Amino acid sequence: MFATDPNTSPLPAVSLVDVASYLPGEPVDTEYFTQFARSDRMAKNVMFRAPRARHHVSRDETAVDMIERAVEPLRERHGTQLLSNVDVLLTHTQLPDNPVLGSGPEVARRLGMRPRVVYDIHNGGCAAFVNMMALARMILQTSDARTALVAVAQNCAGPVFTQTDIRKLAQAPVPGDGCGVGLLVKDDSAPVLDIECRTYPEFAGDMDFSTNGERKYWEPGEGQACVSFTESKVTKVFARGNRLVPEVALAVCDRIGVKGRDIDTFVTNQPNRLFLRNWHDALELPAERHPDTFDRCGNLFAAAIPVTLDVENRAGRLRNGSVVLMSAFAHAGDFAAAAAVRWGAAG
């Protein structure tokens, strides 16, 4: 474990110094799903309007494979030595390859890392990247650890939403697969300015996971497992999402002394286009300052924030010294989180 840092006041700065991402396979067109679609009025709901394309992991591509491929640009930019000296490894996987072990130990083995702690973070949902940034920052600020790698793998679109019964549903075309990673270090080169995390346990029961029958998901038998909402719950989740993402984002803005409309870049999770529009409207931001990858990648769940950051960074649209605000809500609204960074990432 770590030695406690005796100089705990003031807490040292922690920076998000780089991000990278990976998208599996070739883009999958929406026509793949329309050939199976059945008449369903839920398909008309704004929550399930399909993106133009998305990516799907192959059957034999694991979450560890995805993280290893996403990390490769970091290795190229920072060298193998930096990664081998990572103190803290945090991973989040939407669909764990091994529900007992998790992904972290195998990720460390593949990358030649010897982190002193490895945490597989199951909670956080679409806000998991910010949640893990908060945990990594806390560890780095209160111990002698200096470097943390956070990795999120969204890998349930291909395996789950292309099942023969599930691919007919209205929500099937919306998710996509992808992976994003972030490198945090204890310095002030690209400081994390503030983070807000809020839990709403009263909403935890509004997302269903079932096999459309009595069978438990681990039991043999008929029925294909999938996350689902009733139509009434979709309405509730939509109202919560509209409220929660701006709330946590503006809480961060207030503490760092910046108006929402003055944020340089706003990056969120991306369940659908209407959420995206409503969120930047709530912050009084023009759409061009709220980039997303929805039409290219679909709903990437927890990977949406780091993937979009990486796309914008590689395109040169994130100016060093600018304020980048991240915000997301999870599941049916049981968790929401936001973080602001003074951008200065590599690449």
Side-chain angles (χ1 to χ4, degrees):
M1 290 298 290
F2 304 111
T4 300
D5 189 339
N7 301 311
T8 57
S9 183
L11 293 174
V14 172
S15 294
L16 178 64
V17 298
D18 209 351
V19 290
S21 64
Y22 164 73
L23 298 172
E26 294 297 318
V28 177
D29 292 335
T30 301
E31 285 70 24
Y32 168 82
F33 294 96
T34 57
Q35 65 181 314
F36 304 112
R38 64 191 186 194
S39 178
D40 189 340
R41 67 178 184 150
M42 286 279 281
K44 299 179 182 178
N45 193 296
V46 293
M47 290 282 282
F48 303 126
R49 289 179 186 167
R52 295 190 181 97
R54 76 285 297 141
H55 292 256
H56 287 164
V57 296
S58 64
R59 184 181 184 279
D60 296 323
E61 187 170 24
T62 68
V64 176
D65 293 334
M66 297 175 72
I67 293 171
E68 183 180 24
R69 288 159 186 161
V71 167
E72 187 56 33
L74 298 185
R75 188 194 302 274
E76 293 173 358
R77 291 195 285 266
H78 300 276
T80 300
Q81 184 175 359
L82 177 65
L83 290 178
S84 65
N85 290 332
V86 164
D87 298 307
V88 180
L89 173 62
L90 307 178
T91 65
H92 170 91
T93 305
Q94 191 73 21
L95 187 66
D97 305 311
N98 183 329
V100 177
L101 179 63
S103 298
E106 176 63 11
V107 169
R109 187 190 72 79
R110 293 266 196 101
L111 298 178
M113 299 168 58
R114 285 283 183 178
R116 284 181 275 174
V117 293
V118 175
Y119 295 129
D120 285 297
I121 311 300
H122 187 65
N123 66 319
C126 295
F129 187 74
V130 177
N131 190 34
M132 292 196 295
M133 282 179 57
L135 179 57
R137 185 176 69 150
M138 179 178 67
I139 296 171
L140 297 186
Q141 287 181 326
T142 58
S143 74
D144 62 348
R146 299 202 59 82
T147 310
L149 180 70
V150 299
V152 290
Q154 152 49 14
N155 61 339
C156 73
V160 174
F161 288 91
T162 62
Q163 295 177 97
T164 54
D165 291 342
I166 307 305
R167 66 192 180 187
K168 303 173 185 177
L169 302 179
Q171 64 264 39
V174 180
D177 292 324
C179 180
V181 296
L183 183 64
L184 293 96
V185 301
K186 189 187 294 185
D187 69 19
D188 61 357
S189 60
V192 178
L193 303 174
D194 192 70
I195 299 179
E196 175 82 1
C197 294
R198 298 180 183 178
T199 300
Y200 305 88
E202 64 269 28
F203 302 143
D206 286 350
M207 174 179 280
D208 298 321
F209 181 82
S210 73
T211 59
N212 295 311
E214 296 299 318
R215 181 177 68 85
K216 303 295 185 183
Y217 77 88
W218 61 84
E219 294 175 335
E222 296 182 356
Q224 297 176 0
C226 186
V227 171
S228 61
F229 298 93
T230 63
E231 193 161 3
S232 63
K233 287 182 179 179
V234 166
T235 302
K236 293 177 182 178
V237 172
F238 187 72
R240 286 176 203 151
N242 274 337
R243 173 174 57 85
L244 293 176
V245 169
E247 275 187 3
V248 289
L250 291 171
V252 168
C253 288
D254 184 61
R255 287 201 296 269
I256 66 174
V258 176
K259 298 291 185 183
R261 61 179 174 270
D262 294 327
I263 289 296
D264 296 297
T265 305
F266 185 42
V267 179
T268 64
N269 66 310
Q270 49 189 41
N272 54 59
R273 297 182 190 91
L274 189 54
F275 267 135
L276 291 165
R277 188 198 71 187
N278 291 349
W279 289 338
H280 63 244
D281 283 353
L283 267 66
E284 301 180 25
L285 281 173
E288 58 268 23
R289 279 195 263 158
H290 183 197
D292 67 84
T293 52
F294 181 75
D295 269 324
R296 172 182 170 187
C297 303
N299 182 0
L300 287 172
F301 299 81
I305 287 178
V307 168
T308 302
L309 285 173
D310 182 43
V311 168
E312 293 298 294
N313 191 42
R314 286 187 286 110
R317 290 189 288 265
L318 298 181
R319 177 176 50 84
N320 281 357
S322 63
V323 176
V324 175
L325 180 64
M326 300 162 248
S327 188
F329 82 104
H331 310 124
D334 62 273
F335 181 73
V341 174
R342 180 75 64 184
W343 195 257

